[in-house]
Amino acid sequence: MKSKLTAAAVAAVVVAGTVATAIPASAAPAKAEPTRCHTADLKAGFATGEDARPEMEQTDKQTQAYIWFTNQSKRTCTLSGFAGVDMIGAQGTDGTWSLARSATKPDKMVLEPGVTVDFSITLLPVAKSTPQKEKFVPATFLVTPPNETDHFTLKWPFGGQILKQDGATHPATYLNPVGR
């Protein structure tokens, strides 16, 4: 089987004075898969649009808050898995609560430059009248992208308080993987 060389390729071989073997386009090396997104590649924040706001004023069911990552780099990168989320409370007794992960299986998300992906945090709000020791009042979130060690510091913009279950095996407040 003979390789088909384009006129430009033949000319390049003749000019160079060497013999080369053409590689058909179908046999060319595959484009490298994008590597994971690093914290420096991303920016992050809470989704604050009207339809994205958690219903912190209701106390009879769970609600969701959404955190987004946008690829601000000039390269395509991937995110897969769970972000690390530590909530820092506003009350002196709150401390820091590292959120548990849901059982949802993560997908690999490919982020072209400028593309945004989010993930949800399921919350269980409680009434203001709930005793202080039973409620957690969010103030700041430390959000670490999957497989990274550097984090973003995000101020909680929604108010309200959450049923304090920071020691529970299956808390009603937990996070979902990126893309969910």
Side-chain angles (χ1 to χ4, degrees), residues 121-168:
I121 298 173
T122 300
L123 308 161
L124 182 57
V126 294
K128 287 183 181 184
S129 61
T130 301
Q132 182 176 349
K133 66 181 183 176
E134 295 176 23
K135 66 181 176 185
F136 186 95
V137 181
T140 306
F141 281 55
L142 305 179
V143 180
T144 308
N147 304 307
E148 286 292 296
T149 55
D150 294 330
H151 66 265
F152 296 98
T153 301
L154 306 176
K155 185 176 180 203
W156 176 249
F158 305 115
Q161 46 277 320
I162 301 164
L163 181 61
K164 189 170 189 173
Q165 296 180 309
D166 53 341

mmCIF file of all heavy atoms in Angstrom, residues 121-168:
data_model
loop_
_atom_site.group_PDB
_atom_site.id
_atom_site.type_symbol
_atom_site.label_atom_id
_atom_site.label_comp_id
_atom_site.label_asym_id
_atom_site.label_seq_id
_atom_site.Cartn_x
_atom_site.Cartn_y
_atom_site.Cartn_z
ATOM 1 N N ILE A 121 -25.452 22.354 46.970
ATOM 2 C CA ILE A 121 -25.348 21.998 48.377
ATOM 3 C C ILE A 121 -26.780 21.908 48.877
ATOM 4 O O ILE A 121 -27.553 22.857 48.746
ATOM 5 C CB ILE A 121 -24.575 23.058 49.175
ATOM 6 C CG1 ILE A 121 -23.139 23.175 48.637
ATOM 7 C CG2 ILE A 121 -24.575 22.706 50.661
ATOM 8 C CD1 ILE A 121 -22.359 24.301 49.256
ATOM 9 N N THR A 122 -27.144 20.761 49.393
ATOM 10 C CA THR A 122 -28.479 20.570 49.959
ATOM 11 C C THR A 122 -28.421 21.001 51.419
ATOM 12 O O THR A 122 -27.527 20.591 52.165
ATOM 13 C CB THR A 122 -28.910 19.099 49.830
ATOM 14 O OG1 THR A 122 -28.924 18.758 48.434
ATOM 15 C CG2 THR A 122 -30.286 18.874 50.414
ATOM 16 N N LEU A 123 -29.372 21.863 51.799
ATOM 17 C CA LEU A 123 -29.397 22.465 53.135
ATOM 18 C C LEU A 123 -30.720 22.185 53.823
ATOM 19 O O LEU A 123 -31.757 22.093 53.159
ATOM 20 C CB LEU A 123 -29.236 23.987 53.021
ATOM 21 C CG LEU A 123 -28.059 24.505 52.212
ATOM 22 C CD1 LEU A 123 -28.278 25.945 51.799
ATOM 23 C CD2 LEU A 123 -26.793 24.374 53.026
ATOM 24 N N LEU A 124 -30.697 22.090 55.139
ATOM 25 C CA LEU A 124 -31.923 21.965 55.916
ATOM 26 C C LEU A 124 -32.028 23.186 56.833
ATOM 27 O O LEU A 124 -31.434 23.222 57.917
ATOM 28 C CB LEU A 124 -31.960 20.673 56.737
ATOM 29 C CG LEU A 124 -33.235 20.446 57.550
ATOM 30 C CD1 LEU A 124 -34.481 20.456 56.644
ATOM 31 C CD2 LEU A 124 -33.158 19.143 58.321
ATOM 32 N N PRO A 125 -32.752 24.232 56.375
ATOM 33 C CA PRO A 125 -32.902 25.438 57.194
ATOM 34 C C PRO A 125 -33.746 25.170 58.433
ATOM 35 O O PRO A 125 -34.581 24.262 58.453
ATOM 36 C CB PRO A 125 -33.637 26.412 56.273
ATOM 37 C CG PRO A 125 -33.526 25.849 54.904
ATOM 38 C CD PRO A 125 -33.396 24.363 55.077
ATOM 39 N N VAL A 126 -33.514 25.978 59.477
ATOM 40 C CA VAL A 126 -34.306 25.913 60.700
ATOM 41 C C VAL A 126 -34.778 27.322 61.052
ATOM 42 O O VAL A 126 -34.235 28.319 60.586
ATOM 43 C CB VAL A 126 -33.522 25.309 61.892
ATOM 44 C CG1 VAL A 126 -33.202 23.853 61.640
ATOM 45 C CG2 VAL A 126 -32.261 26.089 62.180
ATOM 46 N N ALA A 127 -35.775 27.385 61.898
ATOM 47 C CA ALA A 127 -36.353 28.660 62.313
ATOM 48 C C ALA A 127 -35.387 29.429 63.210
ATOM 49 O O ALA A 127 -34.545 28.836 63.900
ATOM 50 C CB ALA A 127 -37.659 28.411 63.068
ATOM 51 N N LYS A 128 -35.536 30.747 63.209
ATOM 52 C CA LYS A 128 -34.709 31.593 64.082
ATOM 53 C C LYS A 128 -34.920 31.242 65.546
ATOM 54 O O LYS A 128 -34.021 31.404 66.364
ATOM 55 C CB LYS A 128 -35.025 33.069 63.844
ATOM 56 C CG LYS A 128 -34.492 33.580 62.543
ATOM 57 C CD LYS A 128 -34.751 35.059 62.378
ATOM 58 C CE LYS A 128 -34.200 35.495 61.035
ATOM 59 N NZ LYS A 128 -34.325 36.923 60.820
ATOM 60 N N SER A 129 -36.099 30.741 65.881
ATOM 61 C CA SER A 129 -36.408 30.394 67.271
ATOM 62 C C SER A 129 -35.739 29.101 67.728
ATOM 63 O O SER A 129 -35.783 28.760 68.912
ATOM 64 C CB SER A 129 -37.921 30.284 67.453
ATOM 65 O OG SER A 129 -38.433 29.259 66.616
ATOM 66 N N THR A 130 -35.110 28.369 66.816
ATOM 67 C CA THR A 130 -34.413 27.134 67.177
ATOM 68 C C THR A 130 -33.307 27.471 68.176
ATOM 69 O O THR A 130 -32.601 28.467 68.002
ATOM 70 C CB THR A 130 -33.799 26.484 65.914
ATOM 71 O OG1 THR A 130 -34.848 26.213 64.978
ATOM 72 C CG2 THR A 130 -33.067 25.199 66.230
ATOM 73 N N PRO A 131 -33.135 26.673 69.235
ATOM 74 C CA PRO A 131 -32.074 26.950 70.207
ATOM 75 C C PRO A 131 -30.705 27.060 69.521
ATOM 76 O O PRO A 131 -30.417 26.326 68.574
ATOM 77 C CB PRO A 131 -32.119 25.744 71.152
ATOM 78 C CG PRO A 131 -33.506 25.208 71.011
ATOM 79 C CD PRO A 131 -33.911 25.480 69.591
ATOM 80 N N GLN A 132 -29.900 27.972 70.011
ATOM 81 C CA GLN A 132 -28.600 28.263 69.412
ATOM 82 C C GLN A 132 -27.758 27.008 69.213
ATOM 83 O O GLN A 132 -27.123 26.845 68.180
ATOM 84 C CB GLN A 132 -27.840 29.276 70.257
ATOM 85 C CG GLN A 132 -26.497 29.653 69.666
ATOM 86 C CD GLN A 132 -25.794 30.733 70.442
ATOM 87 O OE1 GLN A 132 -26.363 31.359 71.315
ATOM 88 N NE2 GLN A 132 -24.536 30.957 70.137
ATOM 89 N N LYS A 133 -27.752 26.101 70.176
ATOM 90 C CA LYS A 133 -26.905 24.912 70.074
ATOM 91 C C LYS A 133 -27.365 23.954 68.967
ATOM 92 O O LYS A 133 -26.631 23.068 68.568
ATOM 93 C CB LYS A 133 -26.845 24.182 71.413
ATOM 94 C CG LYS A 133 -28.162 23.582 71.851
ATOM 95 C CD LYS A 133 -28.031 22.893 73.187
ATOM 96 C CE LYS A 133 -29.378 22.265 73.520
ATOM 97 N NZ LYS A 133 -29.338 21.503 74.730
ATOM 98 N N GLU A 134 -28.598 24.125 68.455
ATOM 99 C CA GLU A 134 -29.126 23.253 67.402
ATOM 100 C C GLU A 134 -29.058 23.877 66.010
ATOM 101 O O GLU A 134 -29.469 23.255 65.038
ATOM 102 C CB GLU A 134 -30.578 22.892 67.709
ATOM 103 C CG GLU A 134 -30.732 22.059 68.957
ATOM 104 C CD GLU A 134 -32.191 21.792 69.284
ATOM 105 O OE1 GLU A 134 -33.044 21.863 68.375
ATOM 106 O OE2 GLU A 134 -32.478 21.527 70.464
ATOM 107 N N LYS A 135 -28.556 25.103 65.917
ATOM 108 C CA LYS A 135 -28.498 25.740 64.609
ATOM 109 C C LYS A 135 -27.088 26.204 64.287
ATOM 110 O O LYS A 135 -26.298 26.528 65.172
ATOM 111 C CB LYS A 135 -29.483 26.890 64.507
ATOM 112 C CG LYS A 135 -29.207 28.066 65.402
ATOM 113 C CD LYS A 135 -30.282 29.122 65.227
ATOM 114 C CE LYS A 135 -30.067 30.275 66.189
ATOM 115 N NZ LYS A 135 -31.144 31.252 66.126
ATOM 116 N N PHE A 136 -26.797 26.182 63.012
ATOM 117 C CA PHE A 136 -25.518 26.649 62.474
ATOM 118 C C PHE A 136 -25.835 27.847 61.596
ATOM 119 O O PHE A 136 -26.680 27.756 60.699
ATOM 120 C CB PHE A 136 -24.869 25.536 61.645
ATOM 121 C CG PHE A 136 -23.487 25.861 61.169
ATOM 122 C CD1 PHE A 136 -22.377 25.457 61.891
ATOM 123 C CD2 PHE A 136 -23.287 26.568 59.993
ATOM 124 C CE1 PHE A 136 -21.096 25.748 61.454
ATOM 125 C CE2 PHE A 136 -22.013 26.867 59.551
ATOM 126 C CZ PHE A 136 -20.916 26.454 60.281
ATOM 127 N N VAL A 137 -25.178 28.965 61.843
ATOM 128 C CA VAL A 137 -25.418 30.185 61.069
ATOM 129 C C VAL A 137 -24.221 30.368 60.130
ATOM 130 O O VAL A 137 -23.136 30.749 60.567
ATOM 131 C CB VAL A 137 -25.585 31.409 61.992
ATOM 132 C CG1 VAL A 137 -25.846 32.656 61.162
ATOM 133 C CG2 VAL A 137 -26.716 31.180 62.990
ATOM 134 N N PRO A 138 -24.398 30.077 58.817
ATOM 135 C CA PRO A 138 -23.277 30.177 57.890
ATOM 136 C C PRO A 138 -22.796 31.619 57.723
ATOM 137 O O PRO A 138 -23.599 32.547 57.656
ATOM 138 C CB PRO A 138 -23.838 29.666 56.563
ATOM 139 C CG PRO A 138 -25.171 29.102 56.854
ATOM 140 C CD PRO A 138 -25.629 29.645 58.162
ATOM 141 N N ALA A 139 -21.486 31.788 57.645
ATOM 142 C CA ALA A 139 -20.896 33.102 57.394
ATOM 143 C C ALA A 139 -19.978 33.050 56.177
ATOM 144 O O ALA A 139 -20.093 33.867 55.267
ATOM 145 C CB ALA A 139 -20.113 33.582 58.614
ATOM 146 N N THR A 140 -19.085 32.071 56.156
ATOM 147 C CA THR A 140 -18.087 31.964 55.094
ATOM 148 C C THR A 140 -17.967 30.508 54.659
ATOM 149 O O THR A 140 -18.069 29.604 55.480
ATOM 150 C CB THR A 140 -16.716 32.444 55.627
ATOM 151 O OG1 THR A 140 -16.867 33.757 56.162
ATOM 152 C CG2 THR A 140 -15.670 32.474 54.528
ATOM 153 N N PHE A 141 -17.724 30.321 53.359
ATOM 154 C CA PHE A 141 -17.505 28.984 52.813
ATOM 155 C C PHE A 141 -16.097 28.929 52.236
ATOM 156 O O PHE A 141 -15.721 29.804 51.451
ATOM 157 C CB PHE A 141 -18.507 28.671 51.704
ATOM 158 C CG PHE A 141 -19.866 28.266 52.179
ATOM 159 C CD1 PHE A 141 -20.603 29.070 53.040
ATOM 160 C CD2 PHE A 141 -20.433 27.079 51.755
ATOM 161 C CE1 PHE A 141 -21.862 28.697 53.468
ATOM 162 C CE2 PHE A 141 -21.703 26.700 52.190
ATOM 163 C CZ PHE A 141 -22.411 27.507 53.046
ATOM 164 N N LEU A 142 -15.343 27.906 52.609
ATOM 165 C CA LEU A 142 -14.050 27.634 51.995
ATOM 166 C C LEU A 142 -14.294 26.531 50.978
ATOM 167 O O LEU A 142 -14.683 25.415 51.346
ATOM 168 C CB LEU A 142 -13.028 27.189 53.041
ATOM 169 C CG LEU A 142 -12.826 28.140 54.232
ATOM 170 C CD1 LEU A 142 -11.806 27.570 55.204
ATOM 171 C CD2 LEU A 142 -12.444 29.531 53.773
ATOM 172 N N VAL A 143 -14.112 26.846 49.691
ATOM 173 C CA VAL A 143 -14.468 25.930 48.609
ATOM 174 C C VAL A 143 -13.204 25.542 47.840
ATOM 175 O O VAL A 143 -12.543 26.399 47.242
ATOM 176 C CB VAL A 143 -15.485 26.589 47.650
ATOM 177 C CG1 VAL A 143 -15.861 25.633 46.528
ATOM 178 C CG2 VAL A 143 -16.718 27.039 48.427
ATOM 179 N N THR A 144 -12.880 24.262 47.875
ATOM 180 C CA THR A 144 -11.693 23.742 47.205
ATOM 181 C C THR A 144 -12.134 22.915 45.997
ATOM 182 O O THR A 144 -12.888 21.953 46.153
ATOM 183 C CB THR A 144 -10.877 22.852 48.172
ATOM 184 O OG1 THR A 144 -10.638 23.588 49.379
ATOM 185 C CG2 THR A 144 -9.564 22.430 47.555
ATOM 186 N N PRO A 145 -11.685 23.268 44.780
ATOM 187 C CA PRO A 145 -12.045 22.466 43.605
ATOM 188 C C PRO A 145 -11.573 21.014 43.770
ATOM 189 O O PRO A 145 -10.622 20.750 44.527
ATOM 190 C CB PRO A 145 -11.297 23.159 42.456
ATOM 191 C CG PRO A 145 -11.084 24.561 42.930
ATOM 192 C CD PRO A 145 -10.871 24.433 44.422
ATOM 193 N N PRO A 146 -12.216 20.073 43.075
ATOM 194 C CA PRO A 146 -11.819 18.669 43.181
ATOM 195 C C PRO A 146 -10.322 18.470 42.920
ATOM 196 O O PRO A 146 -9.758 19.081 42.001
ATOM 197 C CB PRO A 146 -12.636 17.968 42.086
ATOM 198 C CG PRO A 146 -13.833 18.848 41.911
ATOM 199 C CD PRO A 146 -13.338 20.252 42.142
ATOM 200 N N ASN A 147 -9.700 17.651 43.734
ATOM 201 C CA ASN A 147 -8.293 17.262 43.601
ATOM 202 C C ASN A 147 -7.309 18.417 43.752
ATOM 203 O O ASN A 147 -6.188 18.349 43.251
ATOM 204 C CB ASN A 147 -8.055 16.547 42.259
ATOM 205 C CG ASN A 147 -8.952 15.351 42.104
ATOM 206 O OD1 ASN A 147 -9.001 14.487 42.972
ATOM 207 N ND2 ASN A 147 -9.702 15.308 41.023
ATOM 208 N N GLU A 148 -7.725 19.475 44.413
ATOM 209 C CA GLU A 148 -6.862 20.631 44.646
ATOM 210 C C GLU A 148 -6.671 20.836 46.144
ATOM 211 O O GLU A 148 -7.385 20.249 46.959
ATOM 212 C CB GLU A 148 -7.480 21.894 44.034
ATOM 213 C CG GLU A 148 -7.382 21.944 42.519
ATOM 214 C CD GLU A 148 -5.959 22.113 42.032
ATOM 215 O OE1 GLU A 148 -5.330 23.156 42.315
ATOM 216 O OE2 GLU A 148 -5.470 21.191 41.358
ATOM 217 N N THR A 149 -5.733 21.681 46.522
ATOM 218 C CA THR A 149 -5.517 21.996 47.934
ATOM 219 C C THR A 149 -5.759 23.480 48.232
ATOM 220 O O THR A 149 -5.989 23.835 49.376
ATOM 221 C CB THR A 149 -4.083 21.624 48.380
ATOM 222 O OG1 THR A 149 -3.142 22.278 47.528
ATOM 223 C CG2 THR A 149 -3.864 20.116 48.302
ATOM 224 N N ASP A 150 -5.707 24.337 47.216
ATOM 225 C CA ASP A 150 -5.995 25.762 47.411
ATOM 226 C C ASP A 150 -7.492 25.992 47.294
ATOM 227 O O ASP A 150 -8.159 25.355 46.479
ATOM 228 C CB ASP A 150 -5.257 26.612 46.372
ATOM 229 C CG ASP A 150 -3.752 26.551 46.542
ATOM 230 O OD1 ASP A 150 -3.285 26.365 47.683
ATOM 231 O OD2 ASP A 150 -3.038 26.679 45.525
ATOM 232 N N HIS A 151 -8.017 26.913 48.104
ATOM 233 C CA HIS A 151 -9.462 27.125 48.134
ATOM 234 C C HIS A 151 -9.838 28.575 47.826
ATOM 235 O O HIS A 151 -9.004 29.468 47.837
ATOM 236 C CB HIS A 151 -10.033 26.724 49.501
ATOM 237 C CG HIS A 151 -9.548 27.597 50.618
ATOM 238 N ND1 HIS A 151 -8.468 27.254 51.389
ATOM 239 C CD2 HIS A 151 -9.982 28.796 51.083
ATOM 240 C CE1 HIS A 151 -8.263 28.202 52.286
ATOM 241 N NE2 HIS A 151 -9.163 29.158 52.122
ATOM 242 N N PHE A 152 -11.122 28.751 47.559
ATOM 243 C CA PHE A 152 -11.741 30.062 47.430
ATOM 244 C C PHE A 152 -12.452 30.348 48.750
ATOM 245 O O PHE A 152 -12.982 29.441 49.385
ATOM 246 C CB PHE A 152 -12.792 30.082 46.309
ATOM 247 C CG PHE A 152 -12.217 29.835 44.945
ATOM 248 C CD1 PHE A 152 -12.269 28.568 44.371
ATOM 249 C CD2 PHE A 152 -11.634 30.865 44.225
ATOM 250 C CE1 PHE A 152 -11.741 28.338 43.111
ATOM 251 C CE2 PHE A 152 -11.109 30.647 42.964
ATOM 252 C CZ PHE A 152 -11.164 29.376 42.406
ATOM 253 N N THR A 153 -12.495 31.605 49.155
ATOM 254 C CA THR A 153 -13.229 32.016 50.342
ATOM 255 C C THR A 153 -14.433 32.803 49.869
ATOM 256 O O THR A 153 -14.288 33.853 49.235
ATOM 257 C CB THR A 153 -12.350 32.875 51.268
ATOM 258 O OG1 THR A 153 -11.198 32.103 51.638
ATOM 259 C CG2 THR A 153 -13.110 33.290 52.519
ATOM 260 N N LEU A 154 -15.637 32.272 50.109
ATOM 261 C CA LEU A 154 -16.874 32.887 49.648
ATOM 262 C C LEU A 154 -17.736 33.287 50.841
ATOM 263 O O LEU A 154 -17.968 32.477 51.742
ATOM 264 C CB LEU A 154 -17.670 31.915 48.761
ATOM 265 C CG LEU A 154 -16.933 31.311 47.571
ATOM 266 C CD1 LEU A 154 -17.837 30.294 46.860
ATOM 267 C CD2 LEU A 154 -16.483 32.393 46.609
ATOM 268 N N LYS A 155 -18.208 34.512 50.824
ATOM 269 C CA LYS A 155 -19.107 34.982 51.882
ATOM 270 C C LYS A 155 -20.517 34.455 51.584
ATOM 271 O O LYS A 155 -20.996 34.535 50.456
ATOM 272 C CB LYS A 155 -19.110 36.504 51.929
ATOM 273 C CG LYS A 155 -19.925 37.040 53.066
ATOM 274 C CD LYS A 155 -19.848 38.543 53.161
ATOM 275 C CE LYS A 155 -20.710 38.951 54.338
ATOM 276 N NZ LYS A 155 -21.182 40.274 54.288
ATOM 277 N N TRP A 156 -21.178 33.917 52.593
ATOM 278 C CA TRP A 156 -22.544 33.389 52.459
ATOM 279 C C TRP A 156 -23.496 34.560 52.273
ATOM 280 O O TRP A 156 -23.654 35.381 53.177
ATOM 281 C CB TRP A 156 -22.888 32.579 53.698
ATOM 282 C CG TRP A 156 -24.285 32.046 53.752
ATOM 283 C CD1 TRP A 156 -25.278 32.456 54.605
ATOM 284 C CD2 TRP A 156 -24.860 31.007 52.965
ATOM 285 N NE1 TRP A 156 -26.427 31.732 54.389
ATOM 286 C CE2 TRP A 156 -26.199 30.834 53.377
ATOM 287 C CE3 TRP A 156 -24.380 30.199 51.935
ATOM 288 C CZ2 TRP A 156 -27.045 29.896 52.814
ATOM 289 C CZ3 TRP A 156 -25.229 29.270 51.375
ATOM 290 C CH2 TRP A 156 -26.538 29.114 51.803
ATOM 291 N N PRO A 157 -24.181 34.655 51.133
ATOM 292 C CA PRO A 157 -25.009 35.832 50.855
ATOM 293 C C PRO A 157 -26.493 35.691 51.183
ATOM 294 O O PRO A 157 -27.255 36.629 50.958
ATOM 295 C CB PRO A 157 -24.833 35.999 49.343
ATOM 296 C CG PRO A 157 -24.695 34.597 48.836
ATOM 297 C CD PRO A 157 -23.948 33.864 49.927
ATOM 298 N N PHE A 158 -26.934 34.558 51.721
ATOM 299 C CA PHE A 158 -28.369 34.278 51.786
ATOM 300 C C PHE A 158 -29.010 34.398 53.164
ATOM 301 O O PHE A 158 -30.226 34.327 53.284
ATOM 302 C CB PHE A 158 -28.655 32.881 51.223
ATOM 303 C CG PHE A 158 -28.129 32.693 49.832
ATOM 304 C CD1 PHE A 158 -27.115 31.785 49.583
ATOM 305 C CD2 PHE A 158 -28.640 33.423 48.774
ATOM 306 C CE1 PHE A 158 -26.629 31.607 48.297
ATOM 307 C CE2 PHE A 158 -28.148 33.252 47.496
ATOM 308 C CZ PHE A 158 -27.137 32.337 47.255
ATOM 309 N N GLY A 159 -28.229 34.536 54.219
ATOM 310 C CA GLY A 159 -28.822 34.597 55.555
ATOM 311 C C GLY A 159 -29.381 33.255 55.986
ATOM 312 O O GLY A 159 -29.126 32.224 55.381
ATOM 313 N N GLY A 160 -30.174 33.274 57.047
ATOM 314 C CA GLY A 160 -30.797 32.055 57.546
ATOM 315 C C GLY A 160 -29.849 31.230 58.392
ATOM 316 O O GLY A 160 -28.703 31.599 58.642
ATOM 317 N N GLN A 161 -30.348 30.096 58.841
ATOM 318 C CA GLN A 161 -29.567 29.167 59.640
ATOM 319 C C GLN A 161 -29.947 27.747 59.260
ATOM 320 O O GLN A 161 -31.003 27.500 58.720
ATOM 321 C CB GLN A 161 -29.752 29.400 61.132
ATOM 322 C CG GLN A 161 -31.161 29.581 61.610
ATOM 323 C CD GLN A 161 -31.664 31.008 61.436
ATOM 324 O OE1 GLN A 161 -30.938 31.956 61.653
ATOM 325 N NE2 GLN A 161 -32.889 31.148 61.025
ATOM 326 N N ILE A 162 -29.049 26.825 59.572
ATOM 327 C CA ILE A 162 -29.164 25.432 59.155
ATOM 328 C C ILE A 162 -29.189 24.555 60.404
ATOM 329 O O ILE A 162 -28.503 24.854 61.386
ATOM 330 C CB ILE A 162 -27.952 25.058 58.268
ATOM 331 C CG1 ILE A 162 -27.883 25.962 57.040
ATOM 332 C CG2 ILE A 162 -28.006 23.600 57.852
ATOM 333 C CD1 ILE A 162 -26.548 25.919 56.336
ATOM 334 N N LEU A 163 -29.952 23.463 60.352
ATOM 335 C CA LEU A 163 -29.950 22.506 61.461
ATOM 336 C C LEU A 163 -28.525 21.983 61.629
ATOM 337 O O LEU A 163 -27.908 21.482 60.683
ATOM 338 C CB LEU A 163 -30.903 21.342 61.178
ATOM 339 C CG LEU A 163 -31.004 20.295 62.289
ATOM 340 C CD1 LEU A 163 -31.518 20.924 63.593
ATOM 341 C CD2 LEU A 163 -31.900 19.156 61.853
ATOM 342 N N LYS A 164 -27.988 22.128 62.819
ATOM 343 C CA LYS A 164 -26.601 21.748 63.075
ATOM 344 C C LYS A 164 -26.495 20.235 63.194
ATOM 345 O O LYS A 164 -27.006 19.638 64.147
ATOM 346 C CB LYS A 164 -26.101 22.425 64.349
ATOM 347 C CG LYS A 164 -24.617 22.267 64.566
ATOM 348 C CD LYS A 164 -24.128 23.150 65.686
ATOM 349 C CE LYS A 164 -22.620 23.125 65.731
ATOM 350 N NZ LYS A 164 -22.115 24.088 66.695
ATOM 351 N N GLN A 165 -25.866 19.632 62.209
ATOM 352 C CA GLN A 165 -25.659 18.184 62.182
ATOM 353 C C GLN A 165 -24.231 17.877 61.763
ATOM 354 O O GLN A 165 -23.977 16.928 61.023
ATOM 355 C CB GLN A 165 -26.630 17.531 61.194
ATOM 356 C CG GLN A 165 -28.083 17.663 61.555
ATOM 357 C CD GLN A 165 -28.961 16.985 60.521
ATOM 358 O OE1 GLN A 165 -28.836 17.228 59.324
ATOM 359 N NE2 GLN A 165 -29.848 16.133 60.991
ATOM 360 N N ASP A 166 -23.298 18.679 62.209
ATOM 361 C CA ASP A 166 -21.915 18.526 61.775
ATOM 362 C C ASP A 166 -21.277 17.214 62.233
ATOM 363 O O ASP A 166 -20.278 16.794 61.667
ATOM 364 C CB ASP A 166 -21.065 19.725 62.205
ATOM 365 C CG ASP A 166 -21.164 20.035 63.681
ATOM 366 O OD1 ASP A 166 -22.134 19.597 64.338
ATOM 367 O OD2 ASP A 166 -20.266 20.723 64.190
ATOM 368 N N GLY A 167 -21.855 16.528 63.192
ATOM 369 C CA GLY A 167 -21.328 15.245 63.635
ATOM 370 C C GLY A 167 -22.152 14.059 63.169
ATOM 371 O O GLY A 167 -21.839 12.919 63.487
ATOM 372 N N ALA A 168 -23.199 14.312 62.388
ATOM 373 C CA ALA A 168 -24.101 13.238 61.958
ATOM 374 C C ALA A 168 -23.472 12.369 60.871
ATOM 375 O O ALA A 168 -22.702 12.847 60.046
ATOM 376 C CB ALA A 168 -25.405 13.831 61.430
#
